[in-house]
Amino acid sequence: MDEAHRRECERLAVDWLAAHREFLDPKVAEADCALFARKALVEVALLVGLRARLDPSPLDDGYELLLGTVLDVSGRPSYRELISRDRRALMLYAGTYAALRLCGKEDHEFRHLIEQSVSTNYGAHFERIPYRYLDMLHTFELAGIHSGGPSLQELMPLTLLASNPNTLELSRGDMYALTHAVFYASDFGQRPVPWPEGTDAPRVISMLEACLALTLAQADADLVGEMVMSLQCIGAPPSCLQEEADEWLDSWQEVSGRLEGPQGILPPDLAMANPEWRDWATAYHTTIVAVLAMLVGRCTPRGDPESRPDEAPSWDSEGPIRRAADWLVSHETPDDDRHVRSVAWSAEALIRTGASPRAMLVNLLDRRDLAELLERQPGEVRAHLASLAARTDVASGPLASLVGAITSELSGTTDPSTNCLRAWLADVDPTWQLIESPAPEEVQWDACDTRDGSLRLAIQIIGGGPHPNLSPEASGRALRVMLRAAQEACVDYDIGWFAITLRALCRLPRTPMRLIVDAATWLGSQQLLDGSIGAPLSDDRSERVSYGTDWTLLALPALIEAADRLEGRRRVPSGPFGPIIDPNAVPWRARSVQVPEAWGRCISPSDSSSTSLRSWMRRRIAVRRSPSISTSANVGTHTRSMPPGAT
C-alpha cells in the first residue's frame, strides 16, 4: 500500500469519526450510554493529541472537527467536575487533558482538578493490573503531572509482555494487554522500550507477529490494527505478514471510512440501542486503531528488513519425543490393532534420537501371525513398516507381499492424497515419485470453519506431501483456518484435533516459527510423568491406558514433525500415521535407497489386497477425549467423532 493510498484511508476514517462526533457528547447521550460516550471521548482526544504530536503539519478538517468537540465537552463544569466525584474514573479525564495539552490547548482549571485528585493518593494508586498502571504513568507523563509510584523500569518485569507467554493460550484480553504495554512503554514509538532482563526486541517481535497471525485468522480488525501498531512502535522491520495485515485492514475498511469491530464489543445492555448509535459504537474504536496504526506507521522509523534477526526459537524436543516413545513401547498390547502403529512411531522416535529400533521391528516382523495382523492394517501402515524395514535392513515376506499390493493399486492412480504413501514406498523402491498435490480450487473452503472441515483440510495438506501445491493466496487462507483450529482445539482440550492441526501447520511455509514452537510446547506440556500425552481425568487404569495410547499415537508424530521443522529439516511426513523421511539427504526424484534383496524378491505387483489410504481414512473416525468434556459410543467409551482420515 503506497503512501498516498494510506493517507487517503486515514482521511476517510477520520472524516467518518468526525461525521459521528455527536455521539462523543455525554450530555446528549441516553443515560445508560453516557459513560460509553466519555470513554469514546478520551480515546478520540488521544487520537487527535497524538496526531498533533507525531505530525507537525496543520490538522486536517476531520481532526479539527474532533478537536472542537473535545474542547466543547471538556470545557463544561458538568464534565470536568466529575473528577472530584469519582476518583476511580480519573484516567478518563486525565487522558482528555493530556490530549488537549499535546494540541497546545492548556486548561489550568482542568489541570487543577486533576492534581487535586492525584494528591489524595487514591485516584492514581488504587489496585491496577500492570499494563493499566503503565497506562496511568504514560497519561500523567503526557499531562506533565507527577503521580508518584513505581517507575516504568520497575513495572515492566511484572507485565505479561515480559513473561514471553505461549501465544496459543492467550485470550483476547491478554493480547490487548500485550499491545497496550508496548504502546505505553514505547511512548507510541517515541522512545526505546526498557526491556527487562530475559526479554529483548527480537523475542517480542516474534511473539507479536505470532499474535498478529492469530488475530488475522480470527478476522479481528481491532487486534490486527493494534498488533501492527505495536510492531511499528518497537521498530520491527517490515515483513510479509505485516504487509498482509495492512492489505487486510485496507480491504476491511468500508467506503465511508468505517471499520467494523469484533462481535460482542458492546455490553449486552447496550446492544439493543438505536441502530445508528450501534453502528457507530461497534466501529469507532476499531476505526481509531486503524488511524493510529497508519499515523504511527508513517511517523515512526522502522528497522531495516535486511537486519531482521533470524528466527531461532528453541524447544527441547528430544525429551518429550523419547519419553512418549518409551511409554508406547512399555504399554504394548500385541493383540490390539494399534500395536503396529505404536511400534512404527516408536521406531521413528528412536531413529530420531539416535537409537536403533531394529530389535523392536524384528520382534514385530517375526510374529507367526504377522500376515493376519497386516491384513487388518491400512495400506499406509504397511508402507510405513516397509520403509522402516528398508532403512534398518529387516526383511519380512508377509509384509513385502502386502506392500506389493499397494504398489499395484497405486500404479493405476494419480490421486494426490497418495503422495505421502508414495514417499514411504520410495524407501523400498526408488522408482516411486511424488505427484502434484491438490490444486487450490479443490479445497472446500466453505466447510473449513467447522471442526470436521478444518480436520479434512489438515488431512488434505498432510496427504499432499512435503510442499502442498497451494497458491500463495490459498496457502495464506489455509494457514488462517489451521490457526483458528489450533486455538479452538487448545481451548477444547481436543488433543487429536490439535495434533493433526500442528502437523498441517508444519507443512505450510508461511507459518511463523514462533507458532510452531508454541504449539509443540503446548502439546509437550500435556505429557504426564510416565511419558503418555494427555490428561484423561479418569481413575480407571485401563481407561487411562486406552486414552494414553490414542492421544500419544496422535501427538508423537506431531512432535517429531515440529522438531524437524524447527531444526530446518523439511522431512516428508506421512498421512495421519506415516513415517518421517528426510528429503534433504537425497533429491526426491533421484533418491538412492539400498533395498534389501529379500524385498525385491517378495514384492509382487499383482497382489491387489491392500487397503487404500483414503478408504482407511474414511473408516478411522474417532479420537478419545476427556470424559468430562464429551462422550459418545463411536469407538469404545468417552470418544469424540472425527471426520474421515482424522486419525
Side-chain angles (χ1 to χ4, degrees), residues 603-623:
I603 293 179
S604 171
S606 62
D607 188 345
S608 60
S609 63
S610 73
T611 304
S612 72
L613 175 66
R614 181 162 291 182
S615 63
W616 168 250
M617 286 180 171
R618 287 174 176 161
R619 291 202 304 272
R620 290 290 303 174
I621 60 171
V623 60

Side-chain angles (χ1 to χ4, degrees), residues 109 116 143:
E109 184 179 350
Q116 287 290 91

Side-chain angles (χ1 to χ4, degrees), residues 195 199-207 234 309:
W195 301 115
T199 305
D200 54 28
R203 177 180 293 181
V204 172
I205 289 171
S206 72
M207 176 174 63
I234 57 177

Side-chain angles (χ1 to χ4, degrees), residues 25-36:
D25 191 344
K27 191 172 183 177
V28 300
E30 296 184 16
D32 54 353
C33 298
L35 180 60
F36 197 94

Side-chain angles (χ1 to χ4, degrees), residues 312-323 352-353 516-518 520-525 527 559-560 562-564 566-567:
S314 61
W315 171 58
D316 180 13
S317 61
E318 299 305 316
I321 290 173
R322 183 59 185 265
R323 290 197 300 274
R352 194 186 190 288
T353 56
I516 300 291
V517 171
D518 286 353
T521 300
W522 185 86
L523 191 57
S525 73
Q527 190 167 46
L559 294 175
I560 292 174
D564 290 337
L566 294 173
E567 292 173 9

Side-chain angles (χ1 to χ4, degrees), residues 493 528 534-540 543-544 547 551 625-629 638:
Y493 200 74
L528 304 183
L537 299 183
S538 172
D539 297 323
D540 181 86
E543 195 173 62
R544 292 181 65 82
Y547 280 128
W551 282 339
R625 292 188 65 198
S626 165
S628 69
I629 299 173
H638 306 312

Side-chain angles (χ1 to χ4, degrees), residues 329-522:
V329 170
S330 65
H331 289 79
E332 288 183 355
T333 50
D335 296 330
D336 191 330
D337 282 347
R338 294 175 298 182
H339 174 62
V340 178
R341 290 164 45 213
S342 176
V343 169
W345 273 115
S346 299
E348 291 291 350
L350 290 176
I351 291 173
R352 194 186 190 288
T353 56
S356 172
R358 183 179 171 81
M360 180 191 307
L361 292 171
V362 168
N363 288 339
L364 173 64
L365 298 179
D366 279 352
R367 286 179 52 160
R368 292 183 178 180
D369 62 343
L370 178 62
E372 179 183 351
L373 179 65
L374 292 176
E375 284 283 2
R376 301 197 299 268
Q377 302 300 319
E380 77 273 16
V381 174
R382 286 176 251 167
H384 185 182
L385 282 176
S387 167
L388 288 164
R391 283 180 277 159
T392 55
D393 197 22
V394 178
S396 168
L399 178 59
S401 177
L402 291 172
V403 168
I406 302 173
T407 66
S408 177
E409 180 176 333
L410 287 182
S411 63
T413 180
T414 58
D415 188 342
S417 68
T418 63
N419 264 359
C420 284
L421 187 52
R422 293 166 182 268
W424 299 333
L425 292 174
D427 274 336
V428 181
D429 181 352
T431 64
W432 283 104
Q433 296 179 347
L434 294 179
I435 57 178
E436 286 192 356
S437 301
E441 57 268 21
E442 295 181 17
V443 177
Q444 301 300 314
W445 296 112
D446 292 343
C448 289
D449 285 337
T450 65
R451 173 181 179 274
D452 287 359
S454 72
L455 276 166
R456 290 188 186 96
L457 177 59
I459 293 163
Q460 188 173 358
I461 292 169
I462 293 169
H467 305 288
N469 183 29
L470 297 172
S471 68
E473 179 184 358
S475 180
R477 197 169 179 180
L479 175 59
R480 291 192 287 273
V481 172
M482 293 299 103
L483 291 178
R484 287 197 300 272
Q487 289 178 290
E488 293 173 21
C490 183
V491 170
D492 290 349
Y493 200 74
D494 194 327
I495 298 288
W497 186 15
F498 189 91
I500 293 168
T501 300
L502 173 54
R503 297 184 67 185
L505 286 170
C506 290
R507 303 278 192 310
L508 296 172
R510 297 168 66 183
T511 305
M513 296 293 275
R514 171 61 186 256
L515 284 171
I516 300 291
V517 171
D518 286 353
T521 300
W522 185 86

